[in-house]
Amino acid sequence: MLWFVYVLNFLDRQLMSILAKPIQDSLHVTDSQLGMIGGFYFALFYCFIAIPVGWLADRTNRVAVLSLACAIWSAATVACGLSRTYGQFAFSRMSVGFGEAGGVPPSYAIISDYFPPERRGTALGLYNLGPPVGAALGIAFGAAIAAAFDWRHAFVVLGVIGIVTALVLPMIVREPRRGGMDGVDAKTPPRKPPFWATLKMFFSRPTLVLAALGSGATQFVTYGLGNFTTLFLMREKGMALSQVAVWYALVVGIGMSAGIFVSGRVIDRFRRRSKAVYAIAPVISLTLAIPFYLGFVWAPTWPLALAFLIGPTFLNYFYLSSSVALVQEEVRPEERVMSGALLLLVMNFIGLGLGPTYVGAASDFFRASHPHNSLQMALYTLVPFYGLAIALFLWLGRVFAREKA
């Protein structure tokens, strides 16, 4: 059930990028404006609202917080479909971010109280299949609905499904006891850490900060690419919306899902030997992803581009299971929601907030000199951010080595 809510969370979040071309034609917005709506405006609410929500969830019923958040972002998704101007649409997207801020951190903590440490990597890996499945379903059904009817119908239909899910969620998921899988005595009342103490703890721990920064640099690439992939394939590779609904959906659904699931299994297997796997797995996967990414951006036709894209969609997401499992392991049970929210704050503000905003602005910048392939030029400039992410995870690996020594 938590996974399904995450599917809806990511589906609603990605729907705008999937339907970027018809939205752009209907509301007459530029690439920069699209990048701001899908990036900075959305992340402004999504990232910073997550902190007070995390603090509240650590002190109250996490399932109730998640249910309310699902209802808010789903209602805002319906509002996106009813928007008639750029301003209305931008405000609705910010409202989606406001609701989605309460989606993931409570779920991380709930799962961590259902599974012991040696099984959390796989459990969180399965939960983190929500984004690829959500993205694939969004591409398939969002593009299909838009092609058959109108892009507005896709937002309304998916928003209504989310509202129904929010009502059903508390009937299925029960609130687990905090720390129940970590040897915390059931008779001991759960400690409620002060807000500022948890904040100070997180940002004073090099392992947590480096994991968050490395994840943010990776998300700069994944969100910068993801928010413009459909527009890139349609505008510069000649792909039709009906083809996007089938072929691009398959690449994302299979490639990303396999990457996230495999990464969870790898982490559980090698964590028994050393915590360094939390750093080594992202370093290896991101290094291998770079040549495939360059092939995708360069490819002269959309079938060849999609063939290359399989590589990055599989390899780009090893960081996610690594960073989430690391943070949940390194903090106390009563700090997990807040710490998960802080992880999301850092990595999503860098990646989700700045990645799409940067790519949209870069595309408009290159339009004068490269009018027919401005997005291609913008996507090439994301390669150095792969290098930055690899460097940060290598630094994290050195911290683990010093701790072990």
Side-chain angles (χ1 to χ4, degrees), residues 106-162:
S107 298
Y108 284 159
I110 292 168
I111 291 170
S112 295
D113 283 334
Y114 268 108
F115 293 90
E118 64 272 12
R119 293 175 59 199
R120 278 186 197 140
T122 299
L124 290 168
L126 287 168
Y127 172 71
N128 282 324
L129 290 176
V133 174
L137 290 176
I139 295 164
F141 292 106
I145 291 172
F149 301 99
D150 182 75
W151 64 267
R152 301 179 188 279
H153 289 86
F155 281 96
V156 173
V157 169
L158 294 171
V160 170
I161 293 173

Side-chain angles (χ1 to χ4, degrees), residues 76-237:
T77 300
V78 174
C80 288
L82 302 177
S83 300
R84 296 295 171 182
T85 66
Y86 171 78
Q88 292 173 352
F89 190 81
F91 180 78
S92 299
R93 289 302 295 170
M94 287 190 284
S95 300
V96 172
F98 179 87
E100 290 190 4
V104 180
S107 298
Y108 284 159
I110 292 168
I111 291 170
S112 295
D113 283 334
Y114 268 108
F115 293 90
E118 64 272 12
R119 293 175 59 199
R120 278 186 197 140
T122 299
L124 290 168
L126 287 168
Y127 172 71
N128 282 324
L129 290 176
V133 174
L137 290 176
I139 295 164
F141 292 106
I145 291 172
F149 301 99
D150 182 75
W151 64 267
R152 301 179 188 279
H153 289 86
F155 281 96
V156 173
V157 169
L158 294 171
V160 170
I161 293 173
I163 292 172
V164 174
T165 301
L167 297 174
V168 174
L169 176 66
M171 305 175 190
I172 296 177
V173 181
R174 294 186 178 184
E175 176 77 1
R177 183 169 61 85
R178 284 175 169 83
M181 292 294 175
D182 297 273
V184 176
D185 189 349
K187 297 179 181 179
T188 304
R191 179 175 172 269
K192 297 180 179 179
F195 176 88
W196 294 110
T198 305
L199 196 69
K200 182 179 179 181
M201 176 278 300
F202 187 93
F203 287 106
S204 65
R205 303 273 291 276
T207 52
L208 302 183
V209 173
L210 286 170
L213 291 175
S215 299
T218 308
Q219 285 198 347
F220 195 98
V221 177
T222 59
Y223 276 116
L225 170 65
N227 275 39
F228 286 93
T229 300
T230 302
L231 186 61
F232 177 59
L233 289 170
M234 293 179 66
R235 196 167 74 190
E236 299 187 13
K237 303 295 185 184

Side-chain angles (χ1 to χ4, degrees), residues 20 25 34 53 63 88 106 153 184 201 251 256 263 271 295 299 346 350 355 370 375:
D25 294 341
L34 273 178
V53 168
V63 176
Q88 292 173 352
H153 289 86
V184 176
M201 176 278 300
V251 168
M256 201 189 303
S263 67
R271 170 62 187 89
V346 176
I350 296 171
H370 298 78
L375 260 178

Side-chain angles (χ1 to χ4, degrees), residues 328-344:
Q328 296 296 306
E329 177 181 330
E330 291 284 290
V331 304
R332 292 193 296 265
E334 65 272 11
E335 297 173 329
R336 281 181 176 147
V337 181
M338 178 72 172
S339 298
L342 289 168
L343 172 67
L344 292 176

